[in-house]
């Protein structure tokens, strides 16, 4: 059983690395942001509660976030473990999490703010199949169209300069101190996220003592 948390500012590749770790090691990937986006898209009650907050790049209230995480983990479909992405994002959430679950490792993806801006503002997602693109690193073959399903590529509602500034401010003020809490209690590995996806993945595996793919 492997239980991990992945942390890092937006655009640091959290989602990409978490998905790959989940695929490679049969972990359940729990992205709190994806759960909220799903609720917004499907017009659920939770979606109505969080839509404005998520669109503005602000943090959803701790009680709601904690109940969403607890609900998701209580499904107990994680026979080989889980990787939580986007949680905890402040000290209250971190204390709640540490009281409730034992964590085997915390992955901290380190990326300077200037690189965050460059990456996030060029990020696009397919409105049909959800595939991620980046106008710098992973351009579609035809402008604004998904290579796989032909869907229209759009920017995430919260990937704009103003929302990004909010998220960076929140990250430095509230989320970075979470690393300090984890460092006192858990095994934290910090990886240089300016590297290529493959190198970041290889560093994570090496630092966590996971068998590197052949
Ligand atoms: P993400 O995809 O991780 O960037 O999350 C998208 C949005 O979901 C954030 O900007 C917040 O509005 C909300 N969100 C995700 N995780 C949390 C969390 N742990 N605490 C509060 N809000 C969150």
């Amino acid at each position: 059983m492997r239980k991990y948390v992945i942390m890092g500012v937006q655009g640091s590749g959290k989602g990409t690395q978490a998905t790959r770790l989940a695929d490679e090691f049969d972990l359940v990937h729990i992205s709190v942001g994806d759960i909220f986006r799903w609720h917004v898209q499907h017009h659920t009650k939770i979606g109505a509660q969080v839509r404005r907050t998520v669109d503005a790049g602000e943090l959803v209230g701790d009680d709601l976030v904690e109940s969403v995480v607890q609900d998701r983990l209580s499904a107990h479909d994680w026979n080989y473990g889980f990787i939580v992405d986007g949680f905890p994002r402040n000290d209250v959430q971190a204390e709640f999490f540490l009281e409730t679950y034992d964590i085997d490792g915390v992955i901290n993806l380190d990326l300077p703010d200037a690189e965050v801006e460059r990456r996030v503002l060029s990020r696009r997602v397919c409105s049909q199949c959800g595939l991620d693109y980046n106008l710098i690193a992973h351009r579609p073959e035809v402008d604004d169209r998904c290579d796989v399903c032909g869907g229209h590529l759009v920017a995430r509602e919260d990937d704009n300069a103003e929302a990004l500034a909010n998220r960076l401010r929140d990250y430095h003020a509230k989320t970075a101190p979470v690393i300090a809490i984890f460092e006192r209690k858990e095994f934290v590995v910090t990886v240089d996220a300016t590297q290529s996806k493959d190198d970041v993945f290889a560093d994570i595996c090496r630092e966590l003592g996971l068998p590197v793919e052949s």
Side-chain angles (χ1 to χ4, degrees), residues 64-97:
L64 182 56
V65 175
E66 286 169 13
S67 82
V68 160
V69 172
Q70 213 159 19
D71 265 9
R72 180 63 194 83
L73 286 170
S74 69
H76 276 277
D77 54 348
W78 32 280
N79 296 331
Y80 298 99
F82 58 73
I83 178 153
V84 175
D85 152 8
F87 179 89
R89 263 180 152 97
N90 61 31
D91 50 357
V92 175
Q93 295 178 6
E95 297 291 357
F96 156 84
F97 199 46

Short mmCIF file of all heavy atoms in Angstrom, two decimals, residues 64-97:
data_model
loop_
_atom_site.label_atom_id
_atom_site.label_comp_id
_atom_site.label_asym_id
_atom_site.label_seq_id
_atom_site.Cartn_x
_atom_site.Cartn_y
_atom_site.Cartn_z
N LEU A 64 -15.93 22.08 3.42
CA LEU A 64 -16.41 21.43 2.19
C LEU A 64 -15.29 20.59 1.56
O LEU A 64 -15.51 19.43 1.16
CB LEU A 64 -16.92 22.49 1.20
CG LEU A 64 -17.49 21.94 -0.10
CD1 LEU A 64 -18.62 20.95 0.17
CD2 LEU A 64 -18.01 23.08 -0.98
N VAL A 65 -14.09 21.15 1.52
CA VAL A 65 -12.96 20.42 0.93
C VAL A 65 -12.72 19.13 1.72
O VAL A 65 -12.57 18.04 1.14
CB VAL A 65 -11.68 21.28 0.94
CG1 VAL A 65 -10.49 20.48 0.45
CG2 VAL A 65 -11.87 22.51 0.07
N GLU A 66 -12.73 19.24 3.03
CA GLU A 66 -12.45 18.05 3.85
C GLU A 66 -13.52 16.98 3.65
O GLU A 66 -13.21 15.80 3.58
CB GLU A 66 -12.33 18.45 5.33
CG GLU A 66 -11.01 19.17 5.59
CD GLU A 66 -10.93 19.85 6.95
OE1 GLU A 66 -11.80 19.57 7.82
OE2 GLU A 66 -10.01 20.65 7.14
N SER A 67 -14.78 17.42 3.54
CA SER A 67 -15.83 16.40 3.38
C SER A 67 -15.73 15.75 1.99
O SER A 67 -15.95 14.54 1.86
CB SER A 67 -17.22 16.94 3.68
OG SER A 67 -17.72 17.62 2.57
N VAL A 68 -15.33 16.52 0.97
CA VAL A 68 -15.16 15.94 -0.37
C VAL A 68 -14.02 14.91 -0.36
O VAL A 68 -14.14 13.81 -0.90
CB VAL A 68 -14.89 17.08 -1.40
CG1 VAL A 68 -14.24 16.56 -2.66
CG2 VAL A 68 -16.19 17.80 -1.73
N VAL A 69 -12.91 15.25 0.31
CA VAL A 69 -11.76 14.33 0.36
C VAL A 69 -12.14 13.07 1.16
O VAL A 69 -11.87 11.94 0.74
CB VAL A 69 -10.53 15.02 1.00
CG1 VAL A 69 -9.40 14.03 1.24
CG2 VAL A 69 -10.04 16.14 0.09
N GLN A 70 -12.79 13.29 2.29
CA GLN A 70 -13.17 12.15 3.13
C GLN A 70 -14.12 11.21 2.40
O GLN A 70 -13.95 10.00 2.43
CB GLN A 70 -13.84 12.66 4.40
CG GLN A 70 -13.55 11.79 5.59
CD GLN A 70 -13.76 12.55 6.90
OE1 GLN A 70 -14.44 13.58 6.93
NE2 GLN A 70 -13.20 12.04 7.96
N ASP A 71 -15.10 11.81 1.72
CA ASP A 71 -16.06 11.01 0.93
C ASP A 71 -15.34 10.18 -0.10
O ASP A 71 -15.60 9.00 -0.28
CB ASP A 71 -16.99 11.94 0.14
CG ASP A 71 -18.27 12.20 0.86
OD1 ASP A 71 -18.36 11.81 2.04
OD2 ASP A 71 -19.15 12.84 0.25
N ARG A 72 -14.40 10.85 -0.82
CA ARG A 72 -13.71 10.14 -1.91
C ARG A 72 -12.86 9.00 -1.35
O ARG A 72 -12.86 7.89 -1.89
CB ARG A 72 -12.84 11.15 -2.68
CG ARG A 72 -12.07 10.55 -3.83
CD ARG A 72 -13.02 9.99 -4.89
NE ARG A 72 -12.36 9.13 -5.85
CZ ARG A 72 -12.09 7.84 -5.66
NH1 ARG A 72 -12.41 7.22 -4.52
NH2 ARG A 72 -11.49 7.14 -6.61
N LEU A 73 -12.16 9.26 -0.24
CA LEU A 73 -11.29 8.21 0.32
C LEU A 73 -12.11 7.10 0.97
O LEU A 73 -11.67 5.94 1.03
CB LEU A 73 -10.29 8.81 1.31
CG LEU A 73 -9.15 9.59 0.65
CD1 LEU A 73 -8.35 10.36 1.69
CD2 LEU A 73 -8.22 8.66 -0.12
N SER A 74 -13.32 7.44 1.43
CA SER A 74 -14.12 6.41 2.11
C SER A 74 -14.66 5.38 1.12
O SER A 74 -15.16 4.33 1.52
CB SER A 74 -15.27 7.05 2.91
OG SER A 74 -16.20 7.59 2.01
N ALA A 75 -14.52 5.63 -0.19
CA ALA A 75 -14.92 4.63 -1.18
C ALA A 75 -14.01 3.39 -1.06
O ALA A 75 -14.39 2.30 -1.48
CB ALA A 75 -14.84 5.21 -2.59
N HIS A 76 -12.83 3.57 -0.49
CA HIS A 76 -11.88 2.46 -0.28
C HIS A 76 -11.66 1.61 -1.53
O HIS A 76 -11.54 0.39 -1.46
CB HIS A 76 -12.32 1.58 0.89
CG HIS A 76 -11.87 2.15 2.19
ND1 HIS A 76 -10.61 1.96 2.71
CD2 HIS A 76 -12.51 2.96 3.06
CE1 HIS A 76 -10.49 2.64 3.83
NE2 HIS A 76 -11.63 3.25 4.07
N ASP A 77 -11.59 2.28 -2.67
CA ASP A 77 -11.31 1.57 -3.91
C ASP A 77 -9.81 1.58 -4.19
O ASP A 77 -9.37 1.23 -5.27
CB ASP A 77 -12.07 2.22 -5.08
CG ASP A 77 -11.79 3.71 -5.18
OD1 ASP A 77 -11.20 4.28 -4.25
OD2 ASP A 77 -12.14 4.32 -6.21
N TRP A 78 -9.02 1.98 -3.21
CA TRP A 78 -7.57 2.14 -3.41
C TRP A 78 -6.81 0.95 -2.81
O TRP A 78 -6.10 1.09 -1.82
CB TRP A 78 -7.08 3.47 -2.85
CG TRP A 78 -7.82 3.98 -1.63
CD1 TRP A 78 -9.02 4.62 -1.61
CD2 TRP A 78 -7.40 3.87 -0.26
NE1 TRP A 78 -9.38 4.94 -0.32
CE2 TRP A 78 -8.40 4.49 0.53
CE3 TRP A 78 -6.29 3.34 0.39
CZ2 TRP A 78 -8.32 4.58 1.92
CZ3 TRP A 78 -6.20 3.43 1.77
CH2 TRP A 78 -7.22 4.04 2.52
N ASN A 79 -6.92 -0.20 -3.48
CA ASN A 79 -6.29 -1.41 -2.95
C ASN A 79 -4.77 -1.31 -2.87
O ASN A 79 -4.16 -1.89 -1.99
CB ASN A 79 -6.67 -2.61 -3.82
CG ASN A 79 -8.15 -2.87 -3.76
OD1 ASN A 79 -8.79 -2.56 -2.76
ND2 ASN A 79 -8.71 -3.39 -4.85
N TYR A 80 -4.18 -0.59 -3.84
CA TYR A 80 -2.72 -0.48 -3.84
C TYR A 80 -2.26 0.88 -3.32
O TYR A 80 -1.07 1.15 -3.30
CB TYR A 80 -2.18 -0.73 -5.25
CG TYR A 80 -2.50 -2.10 -5.74
CD1 TYR A 80 -3.57 -2.33 -6.60
CD2 TYR A 80 -1.76 -3.21 -5.30
CE1 TYR A 80 -3.89 -3.60 -7.03
CE2 TYR A 80 -2.08 -4.49 -5.72
CZ TYR A 80 -3.14 -4.68 -6.58
OH TYR A 80 -3.47 -5.95 -7.00
N GLY A 81 -3.20 1.74 -3.00
CA GLY A 81 -2.83 3.04 -2.45
C GLY A 81 -3.44 4.18 -3.24
O GLY A 81 -4.23 3.97 -4.16
N PHE A 82 -3.07 5.40 -2.85
CA PHE A 82 -3.63 6.57 -3.53
C PHE A 82 -2.59 7.68 -3.64
O PHE A 82 -1.58 7.66 -2.95
CB PHE A 82 -4.88 7.09 -2.81
CG PHE A 82 -4.69 7.48 -1.36
CD1 PHE A 82 -4.02 8.64 -1.01
CD2 PHE A 82 -5.22 6.68 -0.34
CE1 PHE A 82 -3.87 9.01 0.33
CE2 PHE A 82 -5.07 7.04 1.00
CZ PHE A 82 -4.40 8.21 1.32
N ILE A 83 -2.87 8.59 -4.55
CA ILE A 83 -2.07 9.82 -4.62
C ILE A 83 -3.03 11.00 -4.63
O ILE A 83 -3.91 11.08 -5.49
CB ILE A 83 -1.08 9.83 -5.81
CG1 ILE A 83 -0.31 11.15 -5.83
CG2 ILE A 83 -1.75 9.57 -7.16
CD1 ILE A 83 1.05 11.04 -6.46
N VAL A 84 -2.92 11.83 -3.63
CA VAL A 84 -3.82 12.98 -3.49
C VAL A 84 -3.12 14.19 -4.08
O VAL A 84 -1.96 14.48 -3.77
CB VAL A 84 -4.16 13.22 -2.01
CG1 VAL A 84 -5.00 14.49 -1.87
CG2 VAL A 84 -4.91 12.04 -1.43
N ASP A 85 -3.87 14.90 -4.95
CA ASP A 85 -3.28 16.03 -5.69
C ASP A 85 -4.15 17.26 -5.42
O ASP A 85 -5.36 17.23 -5.60
CB ASP A 85 -3.27 15.55 -7.15
CG ASP A 85 -3.36 16.61 -8.22
OD1 ASP A 85 -3.29 17.79 -7.90
OD2 ASP A 85 -3.49 16.22 -9.39
N GLY A 86 -3.53 18.32 -4.92
CA GLY A 86 -4.28 19.56 -4.67
C GLY A 86 -4.80 19.67 -3.25
O GLY A 86 -5.58 20.56 -2.94
N PHE A 87 -4.39 18.78 -2.40
CA PHE A 87 -4.83 18.78 -1.01
C PHE A 87 -3.72 18.17 -0.16
O PHE A 87 -3.13 17.18 -0.61
CB PHE A 87 -6.11 17.93 -0.88
CG PHE A 87 -6.64 17.85 0.52
CD1 PHE A 87 -7.54 18.79 0.98
CD2 PHE A 87 -6.22 16.84 1.39
CE1 PHE A 87 -8.04 18.72 2.27
CE2 PHE A 87 -6.71 16.78 2.68
CZ PHE A 87 -7.62 17.72 3.11
N PRO A 88 -3.41 18.66 1.02
CA PRO A 88 -3.97 19.85 1.66
C PRO A 88 -3.33 21.14 1.13
O PRO A 88 -2.20 21.13 0.68
CB PRO A 88 -3.61 19.64 3.13
CG PRO A 88 -2.42 18.75 3.13
CD PRO A 88 -2.45 17.95 1.88
N ARG A 89 -4.10 22.23 1.22
CA ARG A 89 -3.60 23.50 0.70
C ARG A 89 -3.41 24.54 1.79
O ARG A 89 -3.01 25.66 1.49
CB ARG A 89 -4.57 24.04 -0.33
CG ARG A 89 -4.13 23.68 -1.77
CD ARG A 89 -5.12 24.24 -2.67
NE ARG A 89 -4.90 24.65 -3.98
CZ ARG A 89 -5.15 23.92 -5.06
NH1 ARG A 89 -5.41 22.67 -4.97
NH2 ARG A 89 -5.10 24.47 -6.24
N ASN A 90 -3.70 24.20 3.03
CA ASN A 90 -3.39 25.13 4.13
C ASN A 90 -3.17 24.31 5.41
O ASN A 90 -3.35 23.08 5.39
CB ASN A 90 -4.49 26.20 4.30
CG ASN A 90 -5.83 25.58 4.63
OD1 ASN A 90 -5.90 24.53 5.27
ND2 ASN A 90 -6.90 26.21 4.19
N ASP A 91 -2.79 24.98 6.49
CA ASP A 91 -2.41 24.22 7.68
C ASP A 91 -3.60 23.49 8.32
O ASP A 91 -3.45 22.39 8.85
CB ASP A 91 -1.65 25.09 8.69
CG ASP A 91 -2.36 26.39 9.00
OD1 ASP A 91 -3.42 26.65 8.38
OD2 ASP A 91 -1.86 27.16 9.84
N VAL A 92 -4.82 24.07 8.24
CA VAL A 92 -5.99 23.40 8.82
C VAL A 92 -6.23 22.08 8.09
O VAL A 92 -6.43 21.02 8.71
CB VAL A 92 -7.25 24.31 8.70
CG1 VAL A 92 -8.50 23.59 9.19
CG2 VAL A 92 -7.04 25.61 9.46
N GLN A 93 -6.21 22.12 6.76
CA GLN A 93 -6.41 20.90 5.96
C GLN A 93 -5.29 19.89 6.24
O GLN A 93 -5.54 18.68 6.29
CB GLN A 93 -6.44 21.24 4.47
CG GLN A 93 -7.62 22.10 4.05
CD GLN A 93 -7.59 22.45 2.56
OE1 GLN A 93 -6.76 21.97 1.80
NE2 GLN A 93 -8.51 23.31 2.14
N ALA A 94 -4.07 20.38 6.42
CA ALA A 94 -2.94 19.46 6.66
C ALA A 94 -3.11 18.73 7.99
O ALA A 94 -2.90 17.51 8.08
CB ALA A 94 -1.62 20.24 6.65
N GLU A 95 -3.52 19.46 9.03
CA GLU A 95 -3.68 18.83 10.35
C GLU A 95 -4.81 17.80 10.28
O GLU A 95 -4.68 16.71 10.82
CB GLU A 95 -3.99 19.88 11.43
CG GLU A 95 -2.88 20.91 11.66
CD GLU A 95 -1.61 20.34 12.31
OE1 GLU A 95 -1.58 19.13 12.64
OE2 GLU A 95 -0.64 21.11 12.44
N PHE A 96 -5.91 18.16 9.61
CA PHE A 96 -7.03 17.23 9.46
C PHE A 96 -6.55 15.95 8.76
O PHE A 96 -6.83 14.83 9.19
CB PHE A 96 -8.14 17.89 8.62
CG PHE A 96 -9.07 16.92 7.92
CD1 PHE A 96 -10.15 16.36 8.59
CD2 PHE A 96 -8.85 16.56 6.60
CE1 PHE A 96 -11.00 15.46 7.94
CE2 PHE A 96 -9.68 15.66 5.95
CZ PHE A 96 -10.76 15.10 6.63
N PHE A 97 -5.78 16.13 7.72
CA PHE A 97 -5.33 14.99 6.93
C PHE A 97 -4.41 14.09 7.74
O PHE A 97 -4.55 12.86 7.75
CB PHE A 97 -4.62 15.53 5.69
CG PHE A 97 -4.50 14.52 4.58
CD1 PHE A 97 -5.59 13.76 4.21
CD2 PHE A 97 -3.32 14.36 3.90
CE1 PHE A 97 -5.50 12.84 3.18
CE2 PHE A 97 -3.21 13.46 2.87
CZ PHE A 97 -4.29 12.69 2.51
#
